[in-house]
Amino acid sequence: MHTIGKATTAILAAVFAIAMTTFSSLSASDFEGVWKVKDTAGQTFEITLSSGGVAKASRGEGMVGTWKEEGNTAVITWNTGWTTKIAKERDQYKKTAYGKGQPLDGPPTNSTDAQKVK
């Protein structure tokens, strides 16, 4: 009887570990939410990063796109051809923007602080 109890305990522990691993992989990204940033003219706008990789911006031209997390960075690809990165640098976040066709490993067109507001 004692052996069956140990086996049951081991199985339950394994099921719990698998469930916790699955749950943590499905948890929300730290990048999901609403970000306050500035454009190339210094005007403040918001970027919303939703689950499922959907991105929207509160700009007049109706910017929408997709995003994915790459390490400590959210990379957003917009319908305008621009790419925006929001990266965690130590204890703050930085937004960099790259114009259509501009290499993402070169200097950005625009760089500002990014603040998560929601």
Side-chain angles (χ1 to χ4, degrees):
M1 212 49 171
H2 188 62
T3 305
I4 293 173
K6 284 184 178 180
T8 302
T9 301
I11 290 170
L12 288 174
V15 168
F16 179 75
I18 290 169
M20 291 306 293
T21 302
T22 301
F23 177 74
S24 66
S25 68
L26 295 175
S27 65
S29 166
D30 287 341
F31 289 105
E32 285 182 30
V34 179
W35 295 87
K36 185 167 66 170
V37 298
K38 292 185 179 180
D39 65 14
T40 55
Q43 298 297 312
T44 301
F45 70 100
E46 292 182 345
I47 296 172
T48 302
L49 302 179
S50 302
S51 63
V54 176
K56 295 180 184 175
S58 65
R59 294 186 45 126
E61 62 264 16
M63 286 175 48
V64 294
T66 59
W67 74 279
K68 62 183 175 181
E69 189 171 343
E70 294 180 1
N72 290 335
T73 305
V75 179
I76 309 159
T77 305
W78 299 107
N79 61 336
T80 59
W82 281 65
T83 301
T84 299
K85 293 182 179 183
I86 298 175
K88 184 170 186 176
E89 296 179 359
R90 292 179 292 280
D91 60 343
Q92 61 184 12
Y93 289 88
K94 191 78 150 177
K95 178 219 107 180
T96 52
Y98 301 84
K100 187 175 184 176
Q102 187 178 0
L104 301 181
D105 58 354
T109 301
N110 173 267
S111 181
T112 67
D113 289 335
Q115 180 183 17
K116 191 170 185 181
V117 293
K118 293 182 192 173

